[in-house]
Amino acid sequence: MAITVVGSVAFDSIETPAGRRDRCLGGAATYFALAASFFTEVRVIAVVGEDFTSQQQDVFDRHKIDTRGIERAAGKSFFWEGSYLENLNEARTHTTELNVFGAFEPKIPNAYRDSEFLFLANIDPVLQRRVRESMPGVKLVAGDTMNYWIKDHRPALLEVLRGLDILLINDTETKMLAGNSNLVKAAGVVLQMGPRMLVVKHGEYGATAFFAHGRNEIGAKTFRAPAMPLEEVVDPTGAGDSFAGGFFGYLASQKDLTPGAFRRAMFYGSVMGSFAVERFGTDRLESLTRDEVHARFEQFRELTHLD
Amino acid sequence: MAITVVGSVAFDSIETPAGRRDRCLGGAATYFALAASFFTEVRVIAVVGEDFTSQQQDVFDRHKIDTRGIERAAGKSFFWEGSYLENLNEARTHTTELNVFGAFEPKIPNAYRDSEFLFLANIDPVLQRRVRESMPGVKLVAGDTMNYWIKDHRPALLEVLRGLDILLINDTETKMLAGNSNLVKAAGVVLQMGPRMLVVKHGEYGATAFFAHGRNEIGAKTFRAPAMPLEEVVDPTGAGDSFAGGFFGYLASQKDLTPGAFRRAMFYGSVMGSFAVERFGTDRLESLTRDEVHARFEQFRELTHLD
């Protein structure tokens, strides 16, 4: 089934201990869409500027990602510059230029309206909510957010959470959102805010899924997926968005959303996150094959299973 | 098969967000022995002072732990005072009084000499090595260490590592020992130092086992065991030693050290670590039953397995 994703399509300049890359294709919606495209049809809603050329368009086209919802505006695309020199787990932001993204008004093409899955990548919760409300017929809605929205835009974010089935955030964001420093208790608080599933991403330690009690059609248990121990993390940018793309893309490819499907989706999230960090920007996701995806899934099984 | 463990038996005064406990029974050998006693026969080599009374002796006796190797010396037992007020993952030490432990000369009772498993808990590597060399007939030797020995007693520690089958340390210690900030590369360096298996403990994120290449009688693959997501961590003291006790105790209970046995041992390590932190000091390990141990093992399986 098709996923519509709304979020940023951007250019990133990135410095890591492995080197530097200038103005590579980036943005949450880009990583999400590429990762999800290995599993299902993906449709993107975003805005880009005149610097978005056929070179970037080709990346989406090669993955058969529907870009009719990517608006071309006068000006430059969203630009982010950051580094991970001291700590691979946390980016230091040097520059953020919103450019055409500053006046982003998501427009949903009619061709997207039959999407059964909706992913609200990390953007202003006011926009997330507007897109959510414009697509009342979707079957499953997932979303991401970040510390900035949690701290300074809480009321708008809480409204988004009420309309979400699944929220994917990291440890720090979970504790900040809940106001509780114990992850399990914090997860319980967040699950009272709307989502019936919370996926907490732990970076190099994997991710944990928490399910709301009494609404256990998707499995009543906690589930923990590992990350792949990697010899080299070249560029952590987009790991979380690639996790979300693998996770949600796999779900959208399933006929029935059984508890087992959610567990496997967690593994596919980890799989796509583990590939994303192997090269700069979207390079590894661009070169990736379905066979490699499934082989790594089996490696994750061996990494964690007793028998 | 019997395990001999050498290490500290001590008194701890501990403050955590959950409260404060003064002079409770502690020490690495104590936690290790209690955890391992659920799986096999355990024999302790340590030294205590006159403050070690029948009350503490009873704890060992109730778990059928052999204490003939616990020497009674004039003076006071090792005493540690610490807190975890800012960060449950890292103790802040307020007081360390070595007392009788300062002149500890491990003596191995003849009755211990047929032990097939030996655990060298975190003590001076000079003493670890002496005990290791006094028990040449053991089948499997595992050990622990800490940043202090890694930084300031490296030559002595490297000699210990050459005689170890399995080393259990945490992320920071692994990176420090190897001089490499990537965990996978660091693990490779440590496995060149002697051990054929390295267990890296990640605290609330579980633990990863790395196996030396070409010596894969114990399984050639990396294996990751989760930690249990807990609503409350009352006291993290002894979690790592309890992990080691569950891990090594389970191995010692097995007729054949198959790759599957090492995987299950990782889970039992996580199981015992997860219980240890539920109450202050050794309280939870003291009240624990075998049924609870096996029930939690099954919970770990559900937490991680796809099917």
Side-chain angles (χ1 to χ4, degrees):
Chain A
M1 283 172 281
I3 300 176
T4 286
V5 52
V6 59
S8 58
V9 172
F11 288 95
D12 293 337
S13 288
I14 302 158
E15 194 172 2
T16 82
R20 187 180 164 84
R21 189 67 68 87
D22 281 306
R23 294 190 60 76
C24 54
L25 177 62
T30 304
Y31 283 102
F32 178 93
L34 283 172
S37 74
F38 287 83
F39 304 94
T40 195
E41 190 189 336
V42 188
R43 301 155 172 179
V44 182
I45 300 172
V47 61
V48 294
E50 292 147 320
D51 46 4
F52 186 91
T53 65
S54 61
Q55 198 193 327
Q56 287 77 40
Q57 181 64 46
D58 278 353
V59 175
F60 291 89
D61 291 347
R62 281 200 301 273
H63 288 81
K64 303 193 175 20
I65 297 165
D66 193 331
T67 58
R68 283 176 288 178
I70 301 187
E71 183 190 343
R72 314 294 179 113
K76 291 172 75 179
S77 300
F78 182 80
F79 172 70
W80 178 81
E81 184 175 10
S83 63
Y84 303 82
L85 294 179
E86 301 86 26
N87 181 354
L88 275 171
N89 293 311
E90 204 176 312
R92 200 178 137 205
T93 293
H94 301 289
T95 313
T96 304
E97 293 172 9
L98 288 178
N99 298 327
V100 297
F101 204 74
F104 181 34
E105 290 280 352
K107 291 167 201 71
I108 299 155
N110 279 328
Y112 286 17
R113 295 204 175 266
D114 63 351
S115 304
E116 294 195 81
F117 285 69
L118 174 62
F119 188 76
L120 309 170
N122 169 34
I123 51 171
D124 187 334
V126 170
L127 301 183
Q128 289 181 315
R129 186 183 167 202
R130 205 174 296 162
V131 173
R132 171 70 187 94
E133 288 177 350
S134 310
M135 297 185 74
V138 293
K139 181 174 162 185
L140 205 67
V141 189
D144 189 5
T145 190
M146 68 184 289
N147 48 8
Y148 173 72
W149 308 114
I150 295 171
K151 266 195 296 200
D152 298 336
H153 295 73
R154 191 174 177 89
L157 179 62
L158 290 178
E159 289 201 44
V160 172
L161 294 183
R162 278 194 279 278
L164 277 193
D165 296 302
I166 307 173
L167 176 66
L168 296 98
I169 50 180
N170 69 27
D171 284 73
T172 311
E173 289 156 358
T174 305
K175 292 171 182 175
M176 186 188 288
L177 179 56
N180 193 309
S181 65
N182 175 280
L183 183 66
V184 182
K185 283 185 181 160
V189 172
V190 171
L191 288 171
Q192 297 290 323
M193 294 174 176
R196 56 197 167 118
M197 179 179 186
L198 168 67
V199 178
V200 183
K201 296 171 285 181
H202 311 307
E204 65 174 311
Y205 299 117
T208 305
F210 296 91
F211 301 95
H213 296 298
R215 308 157 105 191
N216 59 358
E217 70 272 36
I218 56 175
K221 301 278 194 304
T222 304
F223 185 70
R224 194 161 262 192
M228 180 60 66
L230 291 172
E231 288 240 358
E232 190 175 33
V233 172
V234 170
D235 173 14
T237 311
D241 302 311
S242 303
F243 180 102
F247 170 82
F248 212 49
Y250 178 77
L251 283 181
S253 77
Q254 295 298 292
K255 212 172 120 263
D256 294 310
L257 296 180
T258 60
F262 282 91
R263 290 174 171 242
R264 291 189 298 276
M266 290 288 289
F267 269 49
Y268 277 112
S270 280
V271 164
M272 300 311 288
S274 76
F275 280 121
V277 304
E278 288 185 351
R279 302 244 213 302
F280 273 100
T282 55
D283 282 6
R284 187 65 183 99
L285 295 184
E286 289 184 45
S287 71
L288 194 61
T289 67
R290 276 192 173 71
D291 283 350
E292 288 175 314
V293 169
H294 297 303
R296 185 157 294 181
F297 181 89
E298 289 309 317
Q299 281 183 285
F300 270 86
R301 188 195 290 269
E302 282 181 38
L303 181 68
T304 52
H305 281 46
L306 292 168
D307 313 300
Chain B
M1 284 172 283
I3 300 177
T4 286
V5 52
V6 58
S8 58
V9 171
F11 288 95
D12 293 338
S13 288
I14 303 159
E15 194 171 2
T16 81
R20 185 179 168 87
R21 189 67 67 88
D22 281 307
R23 295 189 60 75
C24 54
L25 177 62
T30 304
Y31 283 103
F32 177 93
L34 283 171
S37 73
F38 286 84
F39 304 95
T40 195
E41 191 190 335
V42 188
R43 301 157 171 177
V44 183
I45 299 172
V47 60
V48 294
E50 291 148 321
D51 46 4
F52 186 90
T53 66
S54 61
Q55 198 192 327
Q56 287 77 40
Q57 180 64 47
D58 277 353
V59 175
F60 290 90
D61 291 347
R62 281 199 302 274
H63 288 81
K64 301 192 176 21
I65 296 165
D66 194 331
T67 57
R68 282 177 287 179
I70 301 187
E71 182 191 343
R72 313 294 179 114
K76 291 172 77 178
S77 300
F78 182 79
F79 172 71
W80 178 79
E81 185 175 9
S83 63
Y84 304 82
L85 294 179
E86 301 85 26
N87 181 354
L88 275 171
N89 293 312
E90 204 177 312
R92 201 179 136 205
T93 293
H94 301 289
T95 314
T96 304
E97 293 173 9
L98 288 178
N99 298 327
V100 298
F101 204 74
F104 181 35
E105 290 280 352
K107 291 167 201 73
I108 300 155
N110 278 329
Y112 285 18
R113 293 202 176 267
D114 64 350
S115 304
E116 293 195 79
F117 284 70
L118 174 63
F119 189 76
L120 308 170
N122 169 33
I123 51 171
D124 187 335
V126 170
L127 300 184
Q128 289 181 314
R129 186 183 167 202
R130 205 174 296 161
V131 173
R132 171 72 187 92
E133 289 178 348
S134 310
M135 297 185 72
V138 293
K139 181 174 162 185
L140 205 69
V141 189
D144 189 5
T145 190
M146 68 183 289
N147 48 7
Y148 173 70
W149 309 115
I150 295 170
K151 266 194 297 200
D152 298 336
H153 294 74
R154 191 175 178 89
L157 178 62
L158 290 178
E159 289 200 44
V160 172
L161 295 183
R162 278 195 278 278
L164 277 193
D165 296 301
I166 307 173
L167 177 66
L168 296 99
I169 50 181
N170 69 27
D171 284 74
T172 311
E173 290 156 357
T174 305
K175 292 171 182 175
M176 185 188 289
L177 179 56
N180 194 309
S181 65
N182 175 281
L183 184 66
V184 182
K185 283 185 182 161
V189 172
V190 171
L191 288 171
Q192 297 289 323
M193 294 174 177
R196 55 198 167 118
M197 178 179 187
L198 169 67
V199 177
V200 183
K201 296 171 285 182
H202 312 307
E204 65 174 311
Y205 299 117
T208 305
F210 296 92
F211 300 95
H213 295 298
R215 308 158 105 193
N216 60 357
E217 70 271 36
I218 56 176
K221 301 279 194 306
T222 304
F223 186 69
R224 193 161 263 192
M228 181 60 65
L230 291 172
E231 288 241 355
E232 190 176 32
V233 172
V234 170
D235 173 15
T237 311
D241 302 311
S242 303
F243 180 101
F247 170 81
F248 211 49
Y250 178 77
L251 284 181
S253 77
Q254 296 298 291
K255 212 172 119 262
D256 294 310
L257 296 180
T258 60
F262 281 90
R263 289 173 172 243
R264 291 189 298 276
M266 290 288 289
F267 269 49
Y268 278 111
S270 281
V271 164
M272 300 311 288
S274 76
F275 280 120
V277 305
E278 287 184 352
R279 302 245 213 302
F280 272 102
T282 55
D283 282 6
R284 187 66 183 99
L285 295 185
E286 289 184 45
S287 71
L288 195 60
T289 66
R290 276 193 172 71
D291 283 351
E292 288 175 315
V293 170
H294 298 304
R296 186 157 292 181
F297 180 89
E298 289 309 317
Q299 280 184 286
F300 271 86
R301 187 194 291 269
E302 281 182 39
L303 181 67
T304 53
H305 281 46
L306 291 167
D307 313 300

